Amino acid sequence: MAVEIEFSDRLKMVPPYLFVEIDKAKRAAIAEGRDVINLGIGDPDSPTFPHIIESLKKAVENPANHHYALDAGLPELRQEIAGWFKKRFEVSLDPNNEIYPLIGSKEGLAHLPLGIINPGDKVLLTDPCYPAYRPTINFAGGKIVEIPLKESKDFLPDLERVAEIKNAKFMYINYPNNPTAAIATREFYEQLVAIAREKGMILISDMAYSEIYFDGEAPVSILEIEGAKDLAIEFHSLSKTYNMAGWRVGWACGNPKLIQALGKVKTNYDSGIFQAIQVAAIDALRTPDAEVDDLRRLYEERRDCLINGVRNYGWKITPPKAAFYVWAKLPKQFNGDSMLAAKTFLEKADIVATPGIGFGNSGEGYIRMALTVSKERITEAVDRLKNVLS
Ligand SMILES: *Cc1c(COP(=O)(O)O)cnc(C)c1O
C-alpha cells in the first residue's frame, strides 16, 4: 500500500508562488497558439556578456575547478568583490570576514533567517515586497509585521511608524525596489540606520538592482552610511547587472557576525558555487562600465517607449528611476482590481503582467510590467493595449 505523504505544516503555510500561477495562465495561452508578450517575470532577456562566457569556457576545462568549492569561495573572488565595492560605493570590506559569495542572492536571503531568527521573533517587511522573503521568514518561525509602502512617500517605509514598533529583530529593505522600482536616498538610509541602532534592530538590504538605474542617478548602498556595518548586511547579485540570472552567483556583505551566521547555515546546506562560475564571476566584475551603461540605456529606451506609448491612451505612469520594472497605478476602469487587470491584459491583448496584489496587500491597485522584452515587442504591447484601454 502506498504511504500517505503529507507536506509539513511549515510547507503547507506557504501560499502558491505567485509567478507559478501566472506562468500557468501564460503557458495555457501559448498552448492555444497565441502570441504572448511576457512582461511578467524580471529575468534579463539579453545574453550574458561574451567575455564572461569565454572566461567560463576556459575555467571549465581546468580540472582544478572540478572539486568541491571552498565554503566561502575563492579568496580571489572575495578580493575582487571588495575591489568592486570600493570603486562603486567607496566602502572598504574585509574579504576575509565581511564578504560571502552566494549561489545567487535569493539563496542567501533565504538562508539568513535560519541563522538569526528564533520562533516568535518579530520581522519587519515592507508591503509590497519581493515574494521570496516571506516564506523563508515563516520557515524560521519569524512573525511578520508589514510596513506599507505608499506612492505619496515615494514607496519608502514611514520611519516614524518603524520607530514606534517594539522589539523587532530585523527589517528587510530593498532599493532599487522590486516591484515599485523606487530608490532610496542617502538621508533615508541615515535615518533608518539611526533608528535601527537605537532599537537594536538588524537591517537586511537587498540590492539586486544596484546597477540598473536611469537618468545617471546611481543608487546608494546602506553600507555607505557611517556605522551601518554594526547592524546591516547587504545582498548583491550578478544576475541583473551582467545578464547572469541562470548562473546563480551573488554575494552578501557587511556585518561580520551576520556573515558568520549566514556562512554557518550555508555550510550545512550547500557546498559552495561551482568554481568555474566563480572564476567567470571575477571576470564579470571586471566588465567595463561602458558595457553596463549600454544595458542601462537599453532598459531606459524600453521604459520610455512603454510609458510614452500608453500616455497616448490617457494612462499616465511615473517613470521609474531604477530596476527594470514599470509599477503602474491601474487605469480607472479596473477599479483598483489588479487581478482583473492582469486577466484582461492576458485575455484581450495576450500580454502577461503581474498583478500588484501578488506582492502584498498594499500592492493592490497597481500592475507590474517588466522591461525584459525588446523595444519592438514593447511597441507591439503598446499597440495591443489600445484595445484594452480605450
Ligand atoms: C532578482 C531578485 C533577486 C534574486 O537575484 P539572484 O541573485 O538571481 O538570486 C533578489 N532580490 C530581488 C528583489 C530580485 O528582484
Side-chain angles (χ1 to χ4, degrees):
M1 218 174 73
V3 172
E4 198 175 318
I5 309 221
E6 212 186 317
F7 287 169
S8 67
D9 295 342
R10 176 182 311 115
L11 202 54
K12 281 190 220 156
M13 225 163 45
V14 180
Y17 195 54
L18 164 78
F19 302 128
V20 173
E21 300 274 291
I22 301 264
D23 238 35
K24 226 186 266 172
K26 181 192 75 181
R27 269 198 302 273
I30 292 170
E32 285 169 28
R34 286 150 59 187
D35 173 27
V36 171
I37 301 176
N38 188 3
L39 308 180
I41 288 192
D43 178 3
D45 59 311
S46 310
T48 304
F49 293 122
H51 68 279
I52 303 170
I53 296 170
E54 285 314 309
S55 170
L56 177 76
K57 280 186 189 165
K58 252 198 351 232
V60 94
E61 301 268 12
N62 180 356
N65 290 328
H66 297 172
H67 301 283
Y68 284 119
L70 294 171
D71 296 325
L74 287 170
E76 293 84 354
L77 174 57
R78 280 179 277 125
Q79 197 73 51
E80 193 67 33
I81 291 168
W84 184 92
F85 218 84
K86 177 84 188 159
K87 186 161 160 244
R88 169 69 173 83
F89 299 112
E90 290 179 40
V91 172
S92 299
L93 295 169
D94 184 341
N96 293 316
N97 60 5
E98 294 181 335
I99 295 173
Y100 208 96
L102 300 169
I103 310 170
S105 62
K106 181 178 177 181
E107 169 265 298
L109 285 157
H111 281 132
L112 181 63
L114 293 174
I116 54 173
I117 292 185
N118 286 316
D121 280 350
K122 211 187 267 181
V123 177
L124 308 190
L125 204 56
T126 63
D127 167 23
C129 71
Y130 180 52
Y133 306 142
R134 193 179 293 271
T136 62
I137 299 167
N138 287 334
F139 286 167
K143 224 179 102 220
I144 294 170
V145 177
E146 288 176 344
I147 312 286
L149 299 181
K150 301 205 177 104
E151 192 160 357
S152 58
K153 298 241 174 209
D154 297 325
F155 297 113
L156 291 167
D158 180 349
L159 291 180
E160 278 173 30
R161 168 99 203 280
V162 172
E164 282 165 8
I165 296 168
K166 293 197 178 69
N167 301 322
K169 185 88 171 254
F170 59 93
M171 177 171 182
Y172 283 73
I173 39 160
N174 162 224
Y175 294 98
N177 185 255
N178 177 9
T180 68
I183 56 172
T185 58
R186 185 179 301 275
E187 294 67 39
F188 168 79
Y189 282 136
E190 279 167 357
Q191 289 168 22
L192 180 63
V193 168
I195 290 170
R197 181 183 300 285
E198 198 185 300
K199 303 182 82 68
M201 182 171 73
I202 295 163
L203 296 175
I204 300 177
S205 165
D206 176 356
M207 236 194 150
Y209 297 94
S210 74
E211 303 315 297
I212 310 297
Y213 56 83
F214 309 126
D215 313 315
E217 222 177 306
V220 176
S221 158
I222 196 167
L223 298 177
E224 289 180 45
I225 308 306
E226 173 122 29
K229 244 195 240 172
D230 296 340
L231 50 83
I233 185 169
E234 191 164 76
F235 288 83
H236 286 261
S237 172
L238 276 68
S239 299
K240 319 288 167 38
T241 311
Y242 307 110
N243 304 321
M244 292 173 75
W247 295 53
R248 312 313 302 134
V249 55
W251 74 85
C253 56
N255 180 275
K257 194 80 184 282
L258 291 170
I259 294 288
Q260 202 189 344
L262 176 58
K264 194 165 176 188
V265 173
K266 273 176 60 61
T267 46
N268 286 289
Y269 275 84
D270 66 64
S271 301
I273 311 164
F274 179 29
Q275 203 160 285
I277 290 181
Q278 295 190 49
V279 172
I282 292 173
D283 283 308
L285 291 167
R286 293 176 181 166
T287 302
D289 288 344
E291 292 189 37
V292 185
D293 254 347
D294 286 345
L295 186 64
R296 289 181 197 113
R297 246 191 309 275
L298 179 82
Y299 291 129
E300 195 169 331
E301 264 183 41
R302 293 172 180 178
R303 172 195 74 167
D304 295 342
C305 176
L306 177 59
I307 287 182
N308 295 335
V310 298
R311 188 179 294 139
N312 294 328
Y313 318 136
W315 192 12
K316 290 199 194 82
I317 304 172
T318 315
K321 288 185 174 158
F324 46 48
Y325 303 107
V326 169
W327 179 249
K329 198 166 193 150
L330 294 174
K332 277 203 185 66
Q333 75 250 44
F334 297 111
N335 286 321
D337 184 341
S338 62
M339 204 54 93
L340 172 68
K343 277 186 194 147
T344 309
F345 277 30
L346 188 58
E347 276 163 23
K348 290 201 179 158
D350 293 336
I351 292 169
V352 177
T354 313
I357 186 86
F359 300 98
N361 290 329
S362 297
E364 184 57 308
Y366 291 83
I367 195 159
R368 192 194 74 175
M369 292 172 283
L371 299 168
T372 46
V373 302
S374 71
K375 198 172 150 193
E376 289 67 38
R377 292 297 271 173
I378 288 186
T379 307
E380 168 72 20
V382 168
D383 279 348
R384 291 187 196 173
L385 281 173
K386 189 191 267 174
N387 305 330
V388 178
L389 300 175
S390 47

